[in-house]
């Protein structure tokens, strides 16, 4: 067999490196982001993913020393192997999460398999190019193509691949790209490959090609089946936005909204949560003209705010246009939020809440943080001392802010860490809690610019909260009582770790 490429094949090989490097980065990002979706803690998941990928690539490079001949054949087989495993990577992760209790081990094994194959690519190609050129040029060409391909794919992934195709299709289509690289190299160099090996390669290319086509064809039903297995009720709406996976489920009249698999509200008892979040702050504030809601794209917090005729202006700042669009247009949600997002007092801004707080705005009488739980460091910044200091700066004298603060029972350290962090921002803090059956025991931290009496006669029509219930909400039993924690800072975000550790003891 002849491994030496023709001059004509050189550009083919270089293009192959460029494309294969792009595929490698996409697999890495897919595994990191899918693991963060299932397990939370993007810093932890991406650290593990990158670390194990690099280690496995080192393994692959080291193993390449045992490949003495048939370099082109081995390179084609590496591409076919990557197409097979990489193409099914996200399906494997979904299946691991849905059907086994061993997601972490499966994910690491997957990374080691893919990373080892990727680690073989550059040494093999450099040696093939080396037969054609000096080592100096071969290495320079191989590595520069490799890094360019990585950059290209890393930029495409968040802006194009994930939002338009979703993780599962991106995985399969990237597998098909690896497969196409293998096939193209095989066709380009077919005359230089021994007939017996060539037959074997055609068979492998054919089998993996058929597998990927079948996977592509069944991706939609597979995603549907796995997602249904993850949710209790039938899915009425599902979309992958640039920021999160949005799922709306229905059971009779009831609806539930999930973001990245985490329940945001259940229509059956959401009134308990939203009454508790909104009304104590609205009643304690000296005025109610201008209200800021950070998060809350489902419109349910705004619905409660609009129960006060004094409200003139509500700024709703949500990261994700897909959520507010759904909440404004989907008949199920619009019915529950009473069309709140289409009311003339409501002004919607699509931005990161933290970035919004950094800018100057006319003062607000009430600031409500209605955000997903701080399981990610990216979200925990909105529960940081710096975040609360910025919110306090925007509060009018006599103004009040409040945040949902996870469960004082299931995530006790996280709950009290949020309160301590608000105190560190110079606020007078009132912690309180209630039972929201679909969430469990749930807590809030309310912060005021100045200390004052917190008795309230509620004026809005409410189903759950009243003056007596409010007094009881401020009492904590011993098993939920205050515990000492450090504060959550931008530079030292302890909260998301507390949150994940506390919850993992229960679920
Ligand atoms: N009640 C809910 C809970 O208990 O988790 C929160 C519901 S609400 C739907 C959460 C909203 O926060 C989502 O619409 C999401 O898009 C938004 N969000 C997430 N991160 C954000 C950020 N950094 N800035 C602004 N909004 C954000």
């Amino acid at each position: 067999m002849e491994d030496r490429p023709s001059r004509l094949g050189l550009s083919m090989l270089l293009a192959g490196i460029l494309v294969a490097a792009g595929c490698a980065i996409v697999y890495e990002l897919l595994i990191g982001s899918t693991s963060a979706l299932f397990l939370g803690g993007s810093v932890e998941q991406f650290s593990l993913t990158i670390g194990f990928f690099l280690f496995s690539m080192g393994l692959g490079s080291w193993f390449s020393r045992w490949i003495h001949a048939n370099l082109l054949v081995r390179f084609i087989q590496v591409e076919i192997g990557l197409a097979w495993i990489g193409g099914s990577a996200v399906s494997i992760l979904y299946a691991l999460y849905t059907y086994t209790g061993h997601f972490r081990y499966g994910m690491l094994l997957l990374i080691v398999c893919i990373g080892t194959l990727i680690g073989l690519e550059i040494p093999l190609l450099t040696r093939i190019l080396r037969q054609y050129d000096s080592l100096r040029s071969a290495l320079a060409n191989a590595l520069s193509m490799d890094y360019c391909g990585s950059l290209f794919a890393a930029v495409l992934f968040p802006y194009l691949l994930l939002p338009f195709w979703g993780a599962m299709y991106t995985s399969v289509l990237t597998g098909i790209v690896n497969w196409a690289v293998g096939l193209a190299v095989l066709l380009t160099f077919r005359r230089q490959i021994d007939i017996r090996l060539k037959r074997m390669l055609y068979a492998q290319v054919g089998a993996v090609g058929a597998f990927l086509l079948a996977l592509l064809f069944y991706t939609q039903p597979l995603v549907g089946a796995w997602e249904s297995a993850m949710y209790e009720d039938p899915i009425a709406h599902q979309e992958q936005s640039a920021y999160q996976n949005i799922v709306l489920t229905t059971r009779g009249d009831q609806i539930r909204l999930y973001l990245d698999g985490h329940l945001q509200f259940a229509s059956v008892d959401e009134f308990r949560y939203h009454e508790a979040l909104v009304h104590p702050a609205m009643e304690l504030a000296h005025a109610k003209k201008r209200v800021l809601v950070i998060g809350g794209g489902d419109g349910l917090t705004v619905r409660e705010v609009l129960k006060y005729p004094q409200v003139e202006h509500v700024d709703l700042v949500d990261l994700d246009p897909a959520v507010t669009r759904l909440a404004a247009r989907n008949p199920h949600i619009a019915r529950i939020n009473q069309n709140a997002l289409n009311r003339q007092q409501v002004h919607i801004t699509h931005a990161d809440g933290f970035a919004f707080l950094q800018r100057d705005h006319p003062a607000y009488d009430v600031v409500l943080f209605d955000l997903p739980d701080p399981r990610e460091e990216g979200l925990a910044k909105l529960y940081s001392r710096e975040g609360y200091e910025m919110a306090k700066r925007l509060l009018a004298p006599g103004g009040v802010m409040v945040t949902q603060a996870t469960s004082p029972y299931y995530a006790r350290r996280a709950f009290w860490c949020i309160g301590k962090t608000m105190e560190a921002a110079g606020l007078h803090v009132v912690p309180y809690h209630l039972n929201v059956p679909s969430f469990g025991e749930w807590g809030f931290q309310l912060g005021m610019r100045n200390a004052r009496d917190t008795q309230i006669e509620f004026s809005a029509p409410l189903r759950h909260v009243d003056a007596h219930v409010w007094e009881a909400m401020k009492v904590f039993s011993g098993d939920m009582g205050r515990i000492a924690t450090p504060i959550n800072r931008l530079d030292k975000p302890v909260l998301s770790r507390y949150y994940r550790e506390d919850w993992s003891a229960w679920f």
Side-chain angles (χ1 to χ4, degrees):
M1 199 210 92
E2 175 66 78
D3 272 342
R4 183 187 163 84
S6 68
R7 275 211 166 263
L8 199 67
L10 179 62
S11 42
M12 175 72 232
L13 286 176
L14 291 177
I17 302 179
L18 185 90
V19 176
C23 294
I25 286 290
V26 171
Y27 295 136
E28 210 169 310
L29 294 171
L30 278 172
I31 294 179
S33 53
T34 307
S35 308
L37 170 74
F38 288 143
L39 304 181
S42 45
V43 171
E44 184 186 349
Q45 307 316 330
F46 275 96
S47 300
L48 286 177
T49 304
I50 293 169
F52 273 82
F53 250 104
L54 290 177
F55 167 76
S56 317
M57 284 163 67
L59 271 186
S61 302
W62 190 79
F63 283 141
S64 71
R65 70 176 61 211
W66 308 112
I67 301 175
H68 297 290
N70 298 328
L71 301 181
L72 274 168
V73 173
R74 297 296 169 238
F75 176 73
I76 293 166
Q77 286 179 317
V78 165
E79 293 308 297
I80 300 305
L82 271 175
W84 178 42
I85 306 177
S88 37
V90 174
S91 311
I92 293 173
L93 291 177
Y94 265 79
L96 282 170
Y97 184 74
T98 312
Y99 303 118
T100 78
H102 306 292
F103 182 86
R104 168 74 80 220
Y105 298 117
M107 162 209 162
L108 293 179
L109 186 65
L110 187 65
I111 293 175
V112 171
C113 294
I114 296 178
T116 306
L117 288 172
I118 292 169
L120 285 165
E121 284 177 321
I122 293 293
L124 287 179
L125 274 169
T126 312
R127 282 162 63 191
I128 297 170
L129 293 174
R130 169 78 181 88
Q131 297 167 2
Y132 177 83
D133 218 333
S134 68
L135 177 63
R136 195 162 46 102
S137 304
L139 263 179
N141 285 337
L143 292 180
S144 53
M145 284 294 141
D146 188 52
Y147 293 131
C148 285
S150 305
L151 172 67
F152 188 61
V155 173
L156 278 188
F157 184 79
Y159 300 115
L160 206 71
L161 303 184
L162 204 56
F164 287 101
W165 286 343
M168 193 86 86
Y169 272 119
T170 301
S171 171
V172 182
L173 291 168
T174 309
I176 290 176
V177 173
N178 263 134
W179 176 85
V181 170
L183 178 63
V185 173
L186 172 58
L187 293 177
T188 309
F189 295 98
R190 62 190 181 282
R191 292 206 183 80
Q192 296 169 249
I193 299 176
D194 174 87
I195 181 77
R196 201 173 40 82
L197 292 173
K198 202 157 39 186
R199 277 202 201 118
M200 178 190 71
L201 286 177
Y202 277 127
Q204 290 170 348
V205 167
V208 172
F211 168 77
L212 288 173
L213 269 186
L215 196 57
L216 189 64
F217 187 71
Y218 285 109
T219 291
Q220 200 59 45
L222 275 177
V223 177
W226 282 324
E227 281 184 341
S228 300
M230 284 163 61
Y231 300 103
E232 290 168 26
D233 301 323
I235 296 175
H237 177 92
Q238 191 277 332
E239 77 183 282
Q240 173 66 52
S241 76
Y243 302 101
Q244 53 210 341
N245 186 265
I246 305 167
V247 169
L248 187 70
T249 65
T250 52
R251 179 194 298 181
D253 262 6
Q254 294 175 26
I255 60 171
R256 285 172 176 239
L257 178 72
Y258 296 84
L259 297 180
D260 285 344
H262 302 287
L263 181 64
Q264 302 298 300
F265 74 81
S267 59
V268 67
D269 60 7
E270 58 74 20
F271 65 91
R272 281 190 165 222
Y273 169 96
H274 290 100
E275 285 183 3
L277 174 71
V278 173
H279 296 284
M282 292 296 284
E283 295 287 3
L284 286 170
H286 285 175
K288 311 180 199 324
K289 281 189 185 160
R290 286 180 49 83
V291 178
L292 171 62
V293 180
I294 304 278
D298 51 30
L300 300 170
T301 293
V302 176
R303 175 197 68 198
E304 295 300 317
V305 169
L306 293 174
K307 285 183 175 167
Y308 296 90
Q310 303 94 313
V311 172
E312 291 173 3
H313 183 106
V314 182
D315 273 321
L316 173 78
V317 181
D318 195 290
L319 192 58
D320 195 347
V323 177
T324 53
R325 196 169 46 237
L326 187 73
R329 296 190 194 158
N330 181 284
H332 297 295
I333 308 193
R335 175 171 54 83
I336 307 283
N337 68 27
Q338 295 169 3
N339 214 14
L341 297 192
N342 295 314
R343 298 271 295 276
Q344 46 101 9
Q345 301 98 313
V346 180
H347 305 265
I348 301 177
T349 303
H350 294 121
D352 175 35
F354 196 82
F356 185 90
L357 289 175
Q358 278 174 314
R359 297 197 291 270
D360 285 332
H361 307 278
Y364 293 99
D365 301 305
V366 177
V367 176
L368 304 159
F369 289 87
D370 184 17
L371 291 160
D373 295 354
R375 65 177 61 78
E376 298 290 347
E377 285 73 11
L379 263 165
K381 71 177 188 279
L382 276 156
Y383 294 82
S384 68
R385 186 184 68 185
E386 292 77 358
Y388 294 136
E389 280 170 350
M390 290 191 301
K392 183 181 163 209
R393 184 180 61 90
L394 294 180
L395 271 187
V400 178
M401 72 164 96
V402 66
T403 181
Q404 76 99 343
T406 89
S407 172
Y409 188 74
Y410 295 115
R412 193 168 161 192
R413 281 185 305 171
F415 177 79
W416 289 108
C417 174
I418 295 171
K420 176 102 183 267
T421 304
M422 276 174 107
E423 282 169 359
L427 291 151
H428 297 270
V429 177
V430 182
Y432 59 97
H433 66 104
L434 81 166
N435 188 270
V436 181
S438 59
F439 280 7
E441 196 61 37
W442 212 255
F444 301 84
Q445 300 279 0
L446 179 143
M448 301 179 291
R449 265 183 169 279
N450 317 100
R452 80 190 72 141
D453 180 11
T454 58
Q455 278 190 348
I456 302 174
E457 285 306 324
F458 290 88
S459 58
L462 305 181
R463 289 169 71 184
H464 179 69
V465 178
D466 63 22
H468 297 297
V469 172
W470 167 239
E471 288 308 312
M473 283 161 76
K474 291 182 281 181
V475 179
F476 286 80
S477 57
D479 55 353
M480 291 191 285
R482 189 177 186 111
I483 43 174
T485 69
I487 64 169
N488 183 50
R489 292 174 27 208
L490 272 189
D491 181 48
K492 212 171 168 199
V494 292
L495 179 63
S496 41
R497 186 168 52 81
Y498 283 157
Y499 176 86
R500 290 196 303 273
E501 285 176 2
D502 288 357
W503 276 99
S504 67
W506 294 95
F507 301 101

